[in-house]
Coordinates of all heavy atoms in Angstrom, one line a residue:
T796 N 39.3 48.2 34.4 CA 38.0 48.5 34.9 C 37.9 49.4 36.1 O 39.0 49.5 36.8 CB 37.2 47.2 35.2 OG1 37.8 46.6 36.4 CG2 37.2 46.3 34.0
L797 N 36.9 50.1 36.4 CA 36.8 50.9 37.6 C 36.9 50.1 38.8 O 37.6 50.5 39.7 CB 35.4 51.6 37.6 CG 35.2 52.5 38.8 CD1 36.2 53.6 38.9 CD2 33.7 53.2 38.7
Q798 N 36.4 48.9 38.8 CA 36.5 48.0 40.0 C 37.9 47.6 40.3 O 38.4 47.6 41.4 CB 35.5 46.8 39.8 CG 34.1 47.0 39.9 CD 33.5 47.7 38.7 OE1 34.2 47.8 37.6 NE2 32.3 48.1 38.8
L801 N 39.8 50.6 41.7 CA 39.5 50.9 43.1 C 40.1 49.8 44.0 O 40.5 50.1 45.1 CB 37.9 51.0 43.3 CG 37.3 52.1 42.6 CD1 35.8 52.0 42.7 CD2 37.8 53.5 43.1
L817 N 36.4 57.4 31.6 CA 35.5 56.4 32.3 C 34.3 56.1 31.4 O 33.3 56.8 31.4 CB 35.1 57.0 33.7 CG 34.3 56.1 34.6 CD1 35.1 54.8 34.9 CD2 34.0 56.8 35.9
D818 N 34.4 55.0 30.6 CA 33.4 54.6 29.7 C 32.3 53.9 30.5 O 32.5 53.3 31.5 CB 34.0 53.7 28.6 CG 33.0 53.5 27.5 OD1 32.1 54.3 27.3 OD2 33.2 52.5 26.7
E819 N 31.0 54.1 30.0 CA 29.9 53.5 30.6 C 29.8 54.0 32.1 O 29.5 53.3 33.0 CB 29.9 52.0 30.6 CG 29.8 51.4 29.2 CD 28.5 51.7 28.5 OE1 27.5 52.0 29.1 OE2 28.5 51.4 27.2
S820 N 30.1 55.3 32.2 CA 30.2 55.9 33.6 C 28.8 55.9 34.3 O 28.7 56.0 35.5 CB 30.7 57.3 33.5 OG 29.9 58.1 32.7
S821 N 27.7 55.8 33.5 CA 26.4 55.7 34.2 C 26.2 54.5 35.0 O 25.3 54.4 35.8 CB 25.3 55.9 33.1 OG 25.4 54.8 32.2
L822 N 27.1 53.5 34.8 CA 27.0 52.3 35.6 C 27.7 52.4 37.0 O 27.5 51.5 37.8 CB 27.6 51.1 34.8 CG 26.9 50.7 33.5 CD1 27.7 49.6 32.8 CD2 25.5 50.2 33.8
A823 N 28.4 53.5 37.2 CA 29.1 53.7 38.5 C 28.1 54.1 39.5 O 27.3 55.0 39.3 CB 30.2 54.7 38.3
S824 N 28.2 53.6 40.7 CA 27.4 54.0 41.9 C 27.9 55.2 42.5 O 29.1 55.6 42.2 CB 27.3 52.8 42.9 OG 28.6 52.7 43.5
T825 N 27.2 55.8 43.3 CA 27.7 57.0 44.1 C 28.9 56.6 44.9 O 29.9 57.4 44.9 CB 26.5 57.5 45.0 OG1 25.4 57.9 44.2 CG2 27.0 58.7 45.8
R826 N 28.9 55.5 45.6 CA 30.1 55.0 46.3 C 31.3 54.9 45.5 O 32.4 55.4 45.8 CB 29.8 53.7 47.1 CG 30.9 53.3 48.0 CD 30.7 51.9 48.5 NE 30.6 50.9 47.4 CZ 31.7 50.4 46.7 NH1 32.9 50.8 47.0 NH2 31.4 49.5 45.8
Q827 N 31.2 54.3 44.4 CA 32.3 54.1 43.4 C 32.8 55.4 42.9 O 34.1 55.6 42.8 CB 31.9 53.1 42.3 CG 31.7 51.7 42.6 CD 31.1 50.9 41.5 OE1 30.2 51.4 40.8 NE2 31.6 49.7 41.3
M828 N 31.9 56.2 42.5 CA 32.3 57.5 42.0 C 33.0 58.4 43.0 O 34.0 59.0 42.8 CB 31.2 58.3 41.4 CG 31.5 59.5 40.6 SD 32.5 59.1 39.1 CE 31.3 58.3 38.0
H829 N 32.5 58.4 44.2 CA 33.2 59.1 45.4 C 34.5 58.6 45.6 O 35.5 59.4 45.7 CB 32.3 59.0 46.6 CG 32.9 59.6 47.8 ND1 33.0 61.0 48.0 CD2 33.6 59.0 48.9 CE1 33.6 61.2 49.1 NE2 34.0 60.1 49.7
E830 N 34.7 57.3 45.7 CA 36.0 56.7 45.9 C 37.0 57.0 44.8 O 38.1 57.4 45.0 CB 35.9 55.1 45.9 CG 36.4 54.5 47.2 CD 36.3 53.0 47.1 OE1 35.1 52.5 47.3 OE2 37.3 52.3 46.9
F831 N 36.5 57.0 43.6 CA 37.3 57.3 42.4 C 37.8 58.8 42.4 O 39.0 59.1 42.3 CB 36.5 57.1 41.1 CG 37.3 57.5 39.9 CD1 38.3 56.8 39.4 CD2 36.7 58.6 39.1 CE1 39.0 57.3 38.2 CE2 37.4 59.0 38.0 CZ 38.5 58.3 37.5
I832 N 36.9 59.7 42.7 CA 37.2 61.1 42.8 C 38.1 61.4 43.9 O 39.1 62.3 43.8 CB 35.9 62.0 42.8 CG1 35.2 61.9 41.5 CG2 36.2 63.4 43.2 CD1 33.8 62.4 41.5
V841 N 39.6 63.9 34.1 CA 38.6 62.8 33.9 C 37.6 63.2 32.8 O 37.1 64.3 32.7 CB 37.8 62.5 35.2 CG1 36.8 61.5 35.0 CG2 38.8 62.2 36.3
L843 N 34.1 61.6 31.5 CA 33.0 60.7 31.7 C 32.3 60.4 30.4 O 31.8 61.4 29.8 CB 32.0 61.2 32.8 CG 32.6 61.5 34.2 CD1 31.6 62.0 35.1 CD2 33.3 60.3 34.8
V844 N 32.1 59.2 30.0 CA 31.4 58.9 28.8 C 30.3 57.9 29.2 O 30.5 56.9 29.9 CB 32.4 58.1 27.8 CG1 31.7 57.8 26.5 CG2 33.6 59.1 27.5
G845 N 29.1 58.1 28.7 CA 28.1 57.2 28.9 C 26.7 57.8 28.6 O 26.6 58.9 28.2
D846 N 25.7 57.0 28.7 CA 24.3 57.4 28.4 C 23.5 57.3 29.7 O 23.2 56.1 30.1 CB 23.8 56.5 27.3 CG 22.4 57.0 26.8 OD1 21.8 57.9 27.5 OD2 22.0 56.6 25.8
S847 N 23.2 58.4 30.3 CA 22.4 58.3 31.5 C 21.0 57.8 31.4 O 20.3 57.4 32.4 CB 22.3 59.7 32.2 OG 21.6 60.6 31.3
H850 N 21.6 52.4 31.0 CA 21.7 51.5 32.2 C 22.0 52.3 33.4 O 22.6 53.4 33.4 CB 22.7 50.4 32.0 CG 22.4 49.5 30.9 ND1 21.4 48.6 30.9 CD2 23.0 49.4 29.7 CE1 21.4 47.9 29.8 NE2 22.3 48.4 29.0
E851 N 21.7 51.8 34.6 CA 22.1 52.5 35.9 C 22.9 51.5 36.7 O 23.0 50.3 36.5 CB 20.9 52.8 36.6 CG 20.0 53.9 36.0 CD 18.8 54.3 36.7 OE1 18.6 53.8 37.9 OE2 18.1 55.2 36.2
A852 N 23.5 52.1 37.7 CA 24.4 51.3 38.6 C 23.5 50.2 39.4 O 22.4 50.4 39.6 CB 25.1 52.2 39.6
V853 N 24.2 49.1 39.7 CA 23.5 48.1 40.5 C 23.3 48.6 41.9 O 22.3 48.4 42.6 CB 24.3 46.8 40.5 CG1 23.7 45.8 41.4 CG2 24.3 46.2 39.1
E854 N 24.4 49.3 42.4 CA 24.3 49.9 43.8 C 23.6 51.2 43.7 O 23.2 51.7 42.7 CB 25.7 50.1 44.3 CG 26.5 48.8 44.5 CD 27.9 49.1 45.0 OE1 28.1 50.1 45.7 OE2 28.8 48.3 44.7
A855 N 23.4 51.8 44.9 CA 22.6 53.0 45.0 C 23.3 54.2 44.3 O 24.5 54.3 44.3 CB 22.4 53.3 46.4
G856 N 22.5 55.1 43.8 CA 23.0 56.4 43.2 C 23.1 56.4 41.7 O 23.2 55.4 41.1
R857 N 23.0 57.7 41.2 CA 23.2 58.0 39.8 C 24.0 59.2 39.7 O 23.5 60.2 39.2 CB 21.8 58.2 39.2 CG 20.9 56.9 39.3 CD 19.6 57.1 38.5 NE 18.9 58.2 39.0 CZ 17.6 58.5 38.5 NH1 17.1 57.8 37.6 NH2 17.0 59.6 39.0
P858 N 25.3 59.1 40.1 CA 26.1 60.3 40.1 C 26.3 61.0 38.7 O 26.3 62.2 38.7 CB 27.4 59.9 40.7 CG 27.4 58.4 40.4 CD 26.0 58.0 40.5
V859 N 26.4 60.2 37.7 CA 26.6 60.8 36.3 C 25.3 61.6 35.9 O 25.4 62.7 35.4 CB 27.0 59.7 35.4 CG1 27.0 60.3 33.9 CG2 28.3 59.2 35.7
R860 N 24.2 61.0 36.1 CA 23.0 61.7 35.7 C 22.8 62.9 36.6 O 22.3 64.0 36.1 CB 21.8 60.8 35.9 CG 20.5 61.4 35.4 CD 19.3 60.4 35.3 NE 18.2 61.1 34.7 CZ 17.5 60.6 33.8 NH1 17.7 59.4 33.4 NH2 16.5 61.3 33.3
A861 N 23.1 62.9 37.8 CA 23.0 64.1 38.8 C 23.9 65.2 38.4 O 23.6 66.3 38.6 CB 23.2 63.6 40.2
T862 N 25.0 64.9 37.8 CA 26.0 65.9 37.4 C 26.0 66.3 36.0 O 26.8 67.3 35.6 CB 27.4 65.5 37.8 OG1 27.8 64.3 37.1 CG2 27.6 65.2 39.3

Side-chain angles (χ1 to χ4, degrees):
T796 64
L797 177 59
Q798 288 77 10
L801 295 176
L817 189 55
D818 192 18
E819 298 294 344
S820 59
S821 59
L822 296 174
S824 69
T825 300
R826 181 190 59 79
Q827 290 171 319
M828 191 63 72
H829 175 77
E830 235 181 289
F831 174 70
I832 291 171
V841 177
L843 301 177
V844 180
D846 186 347
S847 62
H850 298 289
E851 293 181 1
V853 174
E854 295 180 29
R857 298 185 302 182
V859 173
R860 186 173 185 131
T862 60

